[in-house]
Amino acid sequence: MGMNTGITESQLVQVAGLIETFISRTQANTLRTLLGKPAVPVIEPDMMVRIAEINIAPDHLDEYKAILKEESAASVKLEPGVIAIFPMYEKEKPTQIRLVEIYASKAAYQAHLKTPHFQHYKTSTLNMVKSLKLIEMDTITPETMAELFKKLK
């Protein structure tokens, strides 16, 4: 549509750069694909993947889950560098929460820690968490990461 109004392909490539800077790399790649330009990888070489094992005090479980649901949704929606925060619980032990966290880079993770929604989550749930273990993971097949998310569309 932009090209029909006189915007050049070169200018649209520049727009993609602005979209990446101010909105998200994923959105910028949508425009790049339409222009037939190579997409910029969303996941950086220093991608972070980890599993958080969290034990919640039973009397705070419902409140904790509500706060976690809000925080994880905001993180994925608002932060381009948060690829996934997927909360789950053990069926037999609902106070045993697990999170699969995927960040595009270590810098994206550090930025995540400073967001208002994460800070609210951390301070609001401090007395609810009986234990927390963060397990840093590494992928065996990084090339399949993009295919995984394509299937979720």
Side-chain angles (χ1 to χ4, degrees):
M1 190 166 84
M3 292 175 89
N4 289 339
T5 62
I7 299 174
T8 68
E9 184 176 318
S10 172
Q11 289 169 324
L12 286 171
V13 169
Q14 291 175 348
V15 168
L18 291 170
I19 291 171
E20 180 175 340
T21 301
F22 295 105
I23 301 172
S24 82
R25 185 173 289 170
T26 303
Q27 294 298 319
N29 281 339
T30 300
L31 178 54
R32 289 181 181 114
T33 300
L34 290 171
L35 295 171
K37 302 296 180 188
V40 176
V42 173
I43 298 173
E44 302 290 341
D46 65 337
M47 172 182 71
M48 282 184 63
V49 178
R50 77 166 165 210
I51 298 171
E53 296 180 346
I54 309 166
N55 183 11
I56 303 302
D59 52 331
H60 291 290
L61 184 59
D62 290 337
E63 183 182 7
Y64 176 84
K65 285 170 42 177
I67 294 168
L68 175 59
K69 183 178 178 180
E70 185 178 295
E71 194 283 328
S72 61
S75 296
V76 172
K77 181 178 180 182
L78 300 173
E79 299 178 63
V82 176
I83 306 301
I85 296 181
F86 188 67
M88 302 168 272
Y89 63 90
E90 290 184 33
K91 285 185 177 183
E92 299 293 320
K93 301 176 195 169
T95 60
Q96 298 297 311
I97 306 291
R98 301 295 180 261
L99 304 176
V100 174
E101 299 175 81
I102 305 173
Y103 302 95
S105 64
K106 288 180 175 57
Y109 172 69
Q110 292 302 320
H112 167 69
L113 295 178
K114 297 173 185 170
T115 61
H117 49 269
F118 178 79
Q119 289 298 313
H120 171 73
Y121 160 79
K122 195 65 175 173
T123 58
S124 300
T125 62
L126 208 50
N127 66 327
M128 303 175 193
V129 176
K130 291 171 64 176
S131 66
L132 167 65
K133 182 178 179 182
L134 301 175
I135 305 165
E136 299 299 321
M137 306 297 290
D138 206 351
T139 180
I140 294 171
T141 57
E143 63 279 357
T144 62
M145 184 72 70
E147 295 302 317
L148 168 77
F149 289 106
K150 282 181 188 175
K151 289 185 175 190
L152 296 175
K153 287 184 180 182

